[in-house]
Amino acid sequence: MGSSQNIPVAGILLAAVTFVALLMLGTDLVIAAAVLTVWVGSLLVAAGRPPEPAKPKTRPRLTLESISDLVEHSSIPLLITDRNTIALANRAARKMLGPHVVGQDARVALRQPEAISLLGESHQGEAIVRGLVRRGDIWQISRQTIDERLAMLEFINQTAEADISRAHTDFVANASHELRTPLAAILGYVETLQEDDGSIDTPVAKKFLGIIEREAKRMQALVSDLMSLSRVEAEKHDLPTTRIDLASLVERAARDAAGPQRGDRLAIALDAEPVVLGDLQQLEQVVRNLVDNALKYGAAEGTVQVMLDLAQGDLARIAVTDEGEGIAPEQIPHLTRRFYRTDPGRSRASGGTGLGLAIVKHIVERHRGRLDITSELGKGTRVVVRLPLAEADPPEPAPLPEGEAEGPVAEQTEQLS
Amino acid sequence: MAEHTVKAFDEDITRLRGLIAEMGGLAEVAIAESLDALVRGDEVLAEQVVARDKRIDALETEVDKLAVRIIALRAPMADDLREVIAALKIGGVLERIGDYSKGIAKRVGMIEGRARFEPLTLLPTMGELAGEMVHDVLTAYAARDPDLAREVIATDAKVDGFYNSIFRNLVSYMVENPSTISSAAQLLFVARNIERIGDHATNVAEMVHFAATGVYPPEGDR
C-alpha cells in the first residue's frame, strides 16, 4: 500500500499555517518550531502506524441453530452429525427417517453397511443405498464435512430415476422383440427359397414371397410408427401453430385409412367446420390410426362412424365408433401403452404394431386435447378426441370450398408418405 | 430419553444403540443377499455373505463388552437397565440371524437344476417377508416404538404359513422327483432358516417392547 497516501497533507498544511501565524503573532521562533515539530511529528507517527484493524474479523462460527434455520425447510432430507451423533435433522429428514433419529447415533438412522462405511470417511463421500426406508427404494447419500466435528449428510432419492431407466430398458427390449419377430419369418422363408433344389413350385414360392412381403411391410410400419412416436415425443412441448380446417382433414384421413376396399364401411358425419391450431400430418395420423383400428378390430362387416362436431362451445370433437366386440374395462387404462395389445395374436395377424394408440395419445397431448375411450363389451368401442378450437382471429379465412382445400393438402400427404 | 448428569453415560448408550443398528443393517443385507445368491446361483455373492458374517460376530463382541462395561461402571437403573439388557440380548439374536443367512448362502452351491424348482419362486417372497420383519423391528428399536414391535410380532404368522406351504410343496416334489431329493432337502433347510429368522425377529420385537414399556407384549399377539 502506498504510504504516500497516508501522509496527512491537510494536517501538515494546517500545522504550517499555524506556524506562520505564530511567527506573525510574534511568538518565539523556538517555541513555534517546537509546536510545528510536535504537531507534524505526531501526525506522521499516527499516519505511519498500520491502519487500525477496524474490528476483529472473525467469521461468525456456524452454530447448530444457524444451520437449523438454513436447512429446516429444504425439501431435501438433510442430517447434521456431530461426530457420529445426529445433532440435527431437517423436516424432510424427520419425515423420511422418523423424528426419533435426532440425538441418536447416526448408525441408528442409516443402518445399511454402505451408509455406515460412509460415516467413517474423514472428508467427502457418496454412497448408493438400497432399501433405506422401505423395500426397493434407492437413495444417494453424500457426506460433506463442515468442520472438525460437524458433517452434513444429504439424501437424494434415486428411486424414480431408476424406474425411468427401467422403463427405458423395457421399451428398447420390447421394440427389439417386435422387430425381430417379422425378421425371423423373412429370414426363414428366404433361406427356404435359397436352398430350393427344385421341389418348390411356383405357387408355393409365390406364397412364400407373399409372406415375406407382408412381414417386411409390417416391419416398415413398425419402424415408421416408432419414428413418428419419437418425433411426437420430441416435439410434445411445442404448441402447434398451423390453422387447420378439421372437417376436410377428418374426411380425407378417414377415407385414406379405409382405402378403396373398406371405404363403404365408413359413415362420415361432419356436423361442424371447426378450425384448430395443429400439426396437419399429426392430426391426420390421429384420424387414420383411430379409423384403421376401428375397421380392423370392429365387426368384419360393421359400420364405422366418424363424427365431427363441437362440444362445450370451445372444443372440436372427433368421435370414431365401431360395432365390434368391445374392450374389457380393465384393459382400457393400458390401451395407450406402447406395445400393449388386448389380443396379441389377432393384432399381429392384422399387421398392428401396438403403437397406434400410443402415438394418438402423444399427439392429442401435444395439441392440449383429450382422449377418451369408452367401450361396451359386445356392442363396440367409441374413441373421442377433443381439441381446443383456434381463437377466432380477425382475418378468419372463410371456410374454403371442399375442392380447393383438398388440393394443397393432398400434396403434403404425398410428401409425408 | 431424559439426559443424564454424567454425559459419558449418554454417549455410551448412544454408542450401544449405534452398534445394534449397525449389526441389524448387516443382518438385513445378509438375508437379502443370501436369497438373491440362492435364486441366481451366484456363488461369488454367497461367499461375500459368508465373509461379511465375521463383521456381525465382531460387532456382537463389541456390544457385549460395552454392555458389561456400562453395567459395571454406571450401574444403570430402570429404563436404562432395560435398554442395556435388551441391547445385550438383541445383539445375540442378530448374530443368530446373521448365522442363518450364512447358512442359506452356504447352501447355494449345493442346489442343482434350480430353474425347475417351484419352491425357489416362493422362497424369495418368504425371505422378503422375513427381511421386512427384521427391517421393521430395527426401526421399532430405533424409534422405541412398541406399536410397530407388535405389528412385527403379528407378521410372524405369515412367515410360518409360508413355511408350512413350502414344506408341503417340497415334500410332494420330492415324492414325484426322487432324483432331486438332495437339492430339495437343502431347500427345506433354507425355508427352515428363514422361518427361524422370523422367530428371532419376533424375539427382538418382544425385547423392544419390553425396553420401551417395561412389560412384555400380551400373549395374544404372539
Side-chain angles (χ1 to χ4, degrees):
Chain A
M1 50 182 265
S3 58
S4 58
Q5 284 174 348
N6 277 351
I7 291 176
V9 180
I12 292 176
L13 271 177
L14 188 63
V17 169
T18 316
F19 173 66
V20 173
L22 281 176
L23 285 184
M24 282 164 66
L25 287 173
T27 321
D28 191 39
L29 180 68
V30 179
I31 295 173
V35 167
L36 178 69
T37 320
V38 169
W39 193 327
V40 173
S42 67
L43 278 175
L44 286 177
V45 166
R49 259 213 316 240
E52 192 143 331
K55 254 194 184 158
K57 258 196 191 167
T58 47
R59 213 154 49 113
R61 258 185 69 80
L62 273 175
T63 59
L64 274 178
E65 287 76 33
S66 64
I67 298 175
S68 167
D69 291 345
L70 274 175
V71 301
E72 173 66 14
H73 296 287
S74 165
S75 59
I76 300 168
L78 292 166
L79 292 182
I80 305 291
T81 55
D82 182 352
R83 297 231 168 78
N84 266 341
T85 312
I86 296 172
L88 189 83
N90 73 349
R91 197 165 52 180
R94 289 198 302 271
K95 199 174 154 217
M96 165 189 162
L97 298 163
H100 61 269
V101 297
V102 182
Q104 302 248 20
D105 192 300
R107 289 175 288 188
V108 171
L110 301 177
R111 216 148 75 199
Q112 298 285 332
E114 294 95 337
I116 287 173
S117 65
L118 188 67
L119 293 176
E121 281 175 35
S122 49
H123 295 291
Q124 262 81 322
E126 280 190 357
I128 304 278
V129 176
R130 284 164 191 280
L132 187 65
V133 186
R134 56 192 72 72
R135 165 171 310 287
D137 61 1
I138 300 169
W139 290 87
Q140 180 187 352
I141 308 177
S142 54
R143 180 180 192 270
Q144 301 249 323
T145 41
I146 298 173
D147 58 22
E148 63 275 13
R149 288 175 59 126
L150 302 181
M152 182 168 79
L153 291 167
E154 189 183 28
F155 296 79
I156 297 164
N157 194 343
Q158 303 277 25
T159 320
E161 266 172 50
D163 283 350
I164 289 170
S165 104
R166 203 180 47 236
H168 192 78
T169 321
D170 284 356
F171 172 68
V172 172
N174 273 334
S176 336
H177 173 78
E178 296 289 335
L179 285 169
R180 209 174 46 190
T181 318
L183 203 53
I186 293 173
L187 284 177
Y189 283 104
V190 167
E191 226 167 80
T192 317
L193 287 171
Q194 263 177 351
E195 287 169 5
D196 173 31
D197 49 0
S199 62
I200 300 179
D201 50 10
T202 319
V204 175
K206 275 212 167 129
K207 190 181 147 205
F208 284 4
L209 285 172
I211 295 173
I212 292 172
E213 190 194 4
R214 198 184 70 212
E215 295 296 323
K217 280 201 172 138
R218 187 202 296 177
M219 269 187 84
Q220 193 185 24
L222 187 59
V223 170
S224 72
D225 272 3
L226 280 172
M227 279 169 66
S228 38
L229 191 62
S230 79
R231 196 169 66 97
V232 179
E233 278 194 359
E235 291 176 339
K236 72 178 167 198
H237 298 299
D238 318 336
L239 261 180
T241 50
T242 320
R243 295 178 68 86
I244 289 174
D245 169 23
L246 265 187
S248 66
L249 180 142
V250 167
E251 165 133 38
R252 189 174 59 247
R255 297 248 174 258
D256 193 23
Q261 294 115 26
R262 303 186 290 186
D264 52 345
R265 284 174 57 199
L266 276 184
I268 303 177
L270 305 172
D271 298 335
E273 294 189 334
V275 175
V276 298
L277 288 182
D279 180 310
L280 184 81
Q281 297 172 2
Q282 292 185 352
L283 288 179
E284 277 186 351
Q285 193 166 17
V286 166
V287 177
R288 268 206 311 270
N289 284 356
L290 294 181
V291 171
D292 187 51
N293 275 350
L295 289 167
K296 237 177 355 201
Y297 304 118
E301 294 306 318
T303 314
V304 169
Q305 288 181 14
V306 181
M307 288 187 311
L308 173 68
D309 58 5
L310 295 178
Q312 294 151 27
D314 56 350
L315 291 173
R317 181 167 65 181
I318 306 169
V320 179
T321 315
D322 67 30
E323 296 174 352
E325 58 199 60
I327 304 165
E330 65 269 18
Q331 292 191 316
I332 288 182
H334 306 293
L335 289 176
T336 55
R337 247 168 50 193
R338 290 176 274 199
F339 299 117
Y340 184 86
R341 295 179 169 103
T342 54
D343 180 353
R346 199 175 58 152
S347 162
R348 289 227 177 77
S350 52
T353 59
L355 291 172
L357 279 177
I359 294 173
V360 168
K361 184 185 92 169
H362 278 102
I363 294 176
V364 172
E365 271 178 5
R366 184 185 167 208
H367 286 78
R368 309 292 186 268
R370 271 191 61 175
L371 173 68
D372 288 296
I373 304 176
T374 46
S375 186
E376 205 173 323
L377 279 175
K379 284 211 170 157
T381 306
R382 178 181 161 90
V383 184
V384 178
V385 172
R386 290 189 180 82
L387 296 171
L389 289 179
E391 301 205 353
D393 279 353
E396 192 178 1
L400 292 169
E402 203 86 327
E404 278 179 53
E406 239 164 25
V409 177
E411 257 174 38
Q412 278 180 317
T413 326
E414 270 166 17
Q415 282 165 3
L416 199 172
S417 51
Chain B
M1 245 185 198
E3 274 188 33
H4 294 90
T5 320
V6 185
K7 206 141 193 261
F9 187 21
D10 279 333
E11 278 169 20
D12 281 350
I13 294 248
T14 308
R15 216 178 120 231
L16 190 64
R17 291 173 64 80
L19 285 171
I20 293 287
E22 187 174 352
M23 281 185 81
L26 282 165
E28 258 182 73
V29 171
I31 299 170
E33 287 189 348
S34 64
L35 281 159
D36 209 24
L38 181 77
V39 172
R40 290 192 284 138
D42 187 342
E43 294 188 31
V44 180
L45 185 61
E47 273 167 33
Q48 283 174 11
V49 174
V50 174
R52 205 168 318 111
D53 190 55
K54 289 207 178 69
R55 175 85 187 122
I56 302 189
D57 294 353
L59 280 169
E60 195 212 355
T61 321
E62 214 176 316
V63 168
D64 279 3
K65 275 192 201 151
L66 184 59
V68 169
R69 216 178 78 104
I70 293 175
I71 295 174
L73 291 183
R74 319 276 179 209
M77 304 292 264
D79 56 347
D80 295 331
L81 182 61
R82 289 204 304 273
E83 180 82 45
V84 176
I85 297 289
L88 199 57
K89 289 168 84 175
I90 292 172
V93 173
L94 288 176
E95 194 270 334
R96 288 299 301 148
I97 292 180
D99 284 351
Y100 284 126
S101 308
K102 187 169 77 173
I104 295 173
K106 278 184 176 169
R107 289 173 206 277
V108 167
M110 304 179 190
I111 311 230
E112 294 152 12
R114 65 191 67 248
R116 287 172 292 122
F117 267 141
E118 192 192 334
L120 258 184
T121 56
L122 279 175
L123 281 172
T125 320
M126 181 181 177
E128 266 172 31
L129 204 58
E132 225 156 76
M133 282 176 76
V134 175
H135 181 97
D136 286 351
V137 83
L138 288 165
T139 308
Y141 175 72
R144 298 185 171 92
D145 180 349
D147 298 331
L148 186 56
R150 278 208 297 275
E151 274 175 38
V152 172
I153 294 169
T155 318
D156 191 44
K158 281 192 210 160
V159 176
D160 291 349
F162 256 108
Y163 175 65
N164 291 333
S165 89
I166 288 177
F167 181 83
R168 277 198 301 274
N169 198 318
L170 272 171
V171 168
S172 58
Y173 195 86
M174 285 194 262
V175 171
E176 288 163 19
N177 311 281
S179 63
T180 61
I181 281 189
S182 68
S183 299
Q186 298 292 351
L187 288 188
L188 267 185
F189 283 116
V190 170
R192 176 77 187 155
N193 277 4
I194 303 175
E195 194 264 338
R196 294 299 299 147
I197 289 173
D199 287 350
H200 278 303
T202 311
N203 285 348
V204 176
E206 284 165 13
M207 288 172 230
V208 169
H209 194 282
F210 178 71
T213 62
V215 291
Y216 280 103
E219 196 62 36
D221 283 356
R222 274 185 257 180

